[in-house]
Amino acid sequence: MQKLIQDFSIPAVFAGFITFLIGISVSAVLVIQAAQTLGATAAQITSWFWALGLGIGFSGLILSWKFKYPVATAWSTAGLALIIATGSGYTLYEAIGAFLVCGLVTAILGFLGIFEKVLSYIPQSLTSAMLAGVLLKFGITLFASMQNDWGFILSLLAVYIISKRLWTRYCIVITVIAGLLIAPQFMQFHVPTLHWALAKPVWIQPDFTWSAIFGLALPLFVINMASQYLPGIAMIKSYGYQPHVNHLIGWTGLTQALLAPFGCYSVNIAAISAAVSLDDQVHPDPSKRYIAGISCGLFYILIGLFAATLTSLLMSFPHLFIVALAGIALFGTISHNIAIAFAEPTDREAALMTFLFSASGVQFFGVGSAFWGLLFGFAVSMILKFKFKK
């Protein structure tokens, strides 16, 4: 506890909040839509947020505290897309059973160390290229927003650049505060009236069917591995940490399985949003950035406890505000991964193809471009390094 107090810093807490905000802002509505697709009632939807908030929050908080590096956890947006697309073919109870099976398979795979063995064969240049490609759209979207909202974007960028020059460590904190102050000048931004009440969990009896296991559980498992765990662990490694892969995958999977009957469809390592908690803007000392992971976990726990209240508050933030904040917060991570991806001349061709493929956003079989870009880049790398006999 004494070390926790000594390592505490305001920038780290803000980084945790931004990580949390990016993680839920875009897809919170999709959670509601996915639950409704399966026929969930209002009380059951609140239970979904309760289970997701507590599962994600406690796992991220405890893992960050135990291993002393930021472990941001999140739900899977790609998984929500899968549920929305296929959920009408299953009952809510069958889906809950599929979520439980998915969590158990993830936990077994993690604790056995199979995923870590596969990861050790993938060059870091390719994983960094994949991450840079996935994150690129956030930077592009920021500048593309100037077309219609140049006043707000330029104002926010001016604050960021000046604070980056004068107060590097606090630049994101200052940018967030400035954004809250200037947003009402450029857009409609009104905080809704809040009614505080603790969320109530609702037990949803799992129903195990082969159709839901093969049609929902296994695809959800593959999507989580491809779109969350693989880039998330690569993100942690790209900042010089040595992630405890077995524990990260095992415990998050087990958490999902335990809370699945209350609506927890996934507990994963965060991919894109995790970058904010890992960057040097959090703290110049990498050993003290874990506070951001703990902070992020606390915010998820709060949204779990006050699910209905905090969800309505966070959904009140204008979309443009979230887009701008996400783009600026990820500047450092995008440049960091590009630098690593193209550092080695021998890997540049494969890294470039991985980067472009990952940035394309294409999907095959419900799996996003991050996975396919890395797979394609790895194949290119193997071909270029293969020594043909003369």
Side-chain angles (χ1 to χ4, degrees), residues 73-85:
T73 44
W75 59 57
S76 169
T77 302
L80 287 173
L82 173 70
I83 296 169
I84 293 170

Side-chain angles (χ1 to χ4, degrees), residues 23 49 62 143 155 163 174 206 213 216-217 238 269 291 300 306 317 324 326 357 360 369 375 386:
F49 278 112
I62 293 171
F143 288 98
S155 299
S163 59
I174 294 171
I213 290 173
L216 187 57
S238 74
I269 302 299
I291 297 296
Y300 270 109
F306 300 97
F317 284 96
F357 204 141
S360 69
S369 60
L375 191 65
F386 184 78

Side-chain angles (χ1 to χ4, degrees), residues 54-112:
L54 266 60
I56 292 167
F58 277 112
S59 59
L61 186 155
I62 293 171
L63 291 170
S64 296
W65 173 76
K66 179 176 177 58
F67 297 125
K68 296 300 183 290
Y69 53 79
V71 180
T73 44
W75 59 57
S76 169
T77 302
L80 287 173
L82 173 70
I83 296 169
I84 293 170
T86 64
S88 59
Y90 309 101
T91 66
L92 174 62
Y93 309 100
E94 288 175 326
I96 292 297
F99 302 159
L100 198 157
V101 170
C102 177
L104 286 176
V105 172
T106 303
I108 293 170
L109 181 74
F111 287 129
L112 290 179

Side-chain angles (χ1 to χ4, degrees), residues 108-351:
I108 293 170
L109 181 74
F111 287 129
L112 290 179
I114 298 173
F115 187 80
E116 186 174 21
K117 293 177 181 178
V118 174
L119 194 63
S120 65
Y121 291 102
I122 303 174
Q124 189 172 356
S125 61
L126 299 187
T127 56
S128 292
M130 175 195 67
L131 292 171
V134 172
L135 297 174
L136 182 65
K137 64 180 179 181
F138 287 86
I140 292 176
T141 302
L142 169 68
F143 288 98
S145 300
M146 283 188 184
Q147 185 72 40
N148 300 313
D149 300 283
W150 60 270
F152 177 69
I153 300 297
L154 284 179
S155 299
L156 209 59
L157 282 171
V159 172
Y160 170 75
I161 293 167
I162 294 171
S163 59
K164 180 78 172 180
R165 175 65 182 86
L166 300 177
W167 307 284
T168 302
R169 186 179 171 192
Y170 296 91
C171 63
I172 296 297
V173 177
I174 294 171
T175 303
V176 172
I177 294 173
L180 291 171
L181 293 175
I182 66 176
Q185 310 303 319
F186 294 94
M187 64 192 81
Q188 291 185 346
F189 183 18
H190 303 290
V191 177
T193 302
L194 301 179
H195 302 283
W196 294 93
L198 288 173
K200 296 180 180 179
V202 177
W203 175 271
I204 306 170
Q205 182 64 38
D207 182 13
F208 301 98
T209 63
W210 289 113
S211 61
I213 290 173
F214 286 106
L216 187 57
L218 294 184
L220 182 61
F221 166 76
V222 172
I223 287 174
N224 289 345
M225 285 294 163
S227 64
Q228 296 292 145
Y229 286 108
L230 185 62
I233 290 170
M235 187 78 74
I236 296 172
K237 290 184 70 175
S238 74
Y239 279 89
Y241 298 105
Q242 293 300 319
H244 300 71
V245 179
N246 297 359
H247 291 282
L248 299 187
I249 297 177
W251 287 113
T252 51
L254 186 59
T255 302
Q256 174 184 329
L258 292 173
L259 291 172
F262 299 99
C264 183
Y265 80 93
S266 79
V267 177
N268 304 144
I269 302 299
I272 296 171
S273 58
V276 179
S277 295
L278 291 160
D279 197 62
D280 58 7
Q281 296 175 78
V282 175
H283 200 287
D285 184 354
S287 67
K288 296 183 178 180
R289 295 176 194 167
Y290 72 97
I291 297 296
I294 292 176
S295 168
C296 179
L298 286 173
F299 284 113
Y300 270 109
I301 291 171
L302 283 174
I303 200 176
L305 293 175
F306 300 97
T309 305
L310 289 185
T311 301
S312 64
L313 171 63
L314 292 165
M315 293 305 297
S316 71
F317 284 96
H319 179 68
L320 176 63
F321 179 84
I322 300 300
V323 167
L325 185 61
I328 291 175
L330 292 170
F331 277 168
T333 303
I334 295 171
S335 61
H336 173 81
N337 281 285
I338 287 176
I340 294 176
F342 299 106
E344 293 294 331
T346 56
D347 291 334
R348 284 180 185 170
E349 195 77 19

